[in-house]
Amino acid sequence: MQLLVSHTSPYARKCRVLVRELGLQDKVEEIDAHPFEDGEILLRANPLGRVPCLIRDGKGYPESTLIGEILHEEAGYPWRYDWEDQRVEALASGLLDLAVGRRVEMVRDTAIYSDYWIGRREAGIARTLDVLESEAKRGLETDTMGALTIAIAVSYLDFRFPESDWRSGRAKLSALYEVWAARPSFQQTKPPADA
Ligand SMILES: N[C@@H](CCC(=O)N[C@@H](CS)C(=O)NCC(=O)O)C(=O)O
């Protein structure tokens, strides 16, 4: 299988971490395909023009959540993956969408910069972090798709919004992130510092 990625995409990073965590490095070849270059390999595999995209048996599979399921199946489902975890994963994926949306607003031409959308994204990010923190009562199981997606999302906040105080009042999410951040899979997939 081939995994089309960019090294700054948090969605791609989630899949890259998973490949390492599940020991699938020999089965998955990572290929750089920056989405904004509209390269042929990416557009052929994924008409959406987005990364990540997994190519398996000649077919392109878009969406990090779907790719996560395929990788998980490939590894024999070593992690718990039930409705509750899928719910946490959906919330954390939405958090990622809000953070990426906030970033897009930040790099727009200032003439079309929208305070309304920035405020809306920021409010959604704060609310979702609070809900995830208050629900993280099970003692923070680390090896789940939900936990991985939370760690990816808060790590993206650190990367793109270093001034963010997401840790404040959120000790459980902070502790979860520290566990993930120390793992080789996270270390090996850090976005380039100058990107
Ligand atoms: N929901 C998708 C989002 C993927 C996505 O938006 N990727 C960004 C990079 S972070 C991208 O390729 N953007 C290019 C574009 O939107 O044209 C997923 O979970 O994989």
Side-chain angles (χ1 to χ4, degrees):
M1 291 182 281
Q2 295 169 310
L3 182 63
L4 307 185
V5 301
S6 99
H7 287 246
T8 51
S9 165
Y11 305 99
R13 186 179 188 200
K14 172 178 168 179
C15 298
R16 297 175 65 221
V17 168
L18 202 53
V19 164
R20 288 158 177 77
E21 288 295 326
L22 300 181
L24 296 173
Q25 293 95 321
D26 290 344
K27 292 189 174 177
V28 179
E29 179 196 2
E30 288 176 10
I31 297 180
D32 279 344
H34 196 289
F36 294 103
E37 287 168 8
D38 284 335
E40 200 199 321
I41 183 169
L42 178 61
L43 297 188
R44 210 177 332 114
N46 182 6
L48 301 170
R50 301 200 299 213
V51 292
C53 180
L54 183 75
I55 304 177
R56 183 168 76 161
D57 299 331
K59 194 176 254 185
Y61 292 83
E63 293 295 318
S64 52
T65 306
L66 173 60
I67 295 170
E69 273 202 56
I70 295 171
L71 295 176
H72 210 214
E73 181 194 67
E74 196 71 37
Y77 288 107
W79 292 355
R80 177 175 71 83
Y81 197 47
D82 53 21
W83 287 119
E84 179 48 31
D85 186 51
Q86 288 184 44
R87 174 177 170 277
V88 172
E89 184 182 24
L91 283 171
S93 294
L95 180 60
L96 207 40
D97 294 342
L98 290 175
V100 170
R102 170 73 181 82
R103 159 79 182 167
V104 167
E105 216 42 64
M106 195 169 101
V107 296
R108 266 183 207 277
D109 190 315
T110 45
I112 50 171
Y113 189 92
S114 165
D115 286 335
Y116 170 77
W117 283 109
I118 291 173
R120 194 167 167 80
R121 306 285 190 233
E122 285 181 349
I125 291 169
R127 255 192 329 262
T128 309
L129 285 169
D130 285 341
V131 166
L132 291 170
E133 172 73 16
S134 70
E135 290 192 3
K137 51 184 175 291
R138 238 197 295 214
L140 290 172
E141 198 179 341
T142 311
D143 289 352
T144 62
M145 299 297 280
L148 165 60
T149 312
I150 292 173
I152 290 288
V154 293
S155 174
Y156 182 75
L157 292 178
D158 279 347
F159 172 48
R160 287 306 191 198
F161 308 99
E163 73 288 355
S164 160
D165 66 346
W166 68 264
R167 289 173 178 77
S168 163
R170 301 188 186 108
K172 289 178 184 147
L173 296 187
S174 306
L176 175 70
Y177 171 67
E178 291 310 324
V179 172
W180 274 103
R183 291 187 169 188
S185 58
F186 247 60
Q187 299 281 336
Q188 290 162 10
T189 57
K190 273 187 190 164
D194 56 349

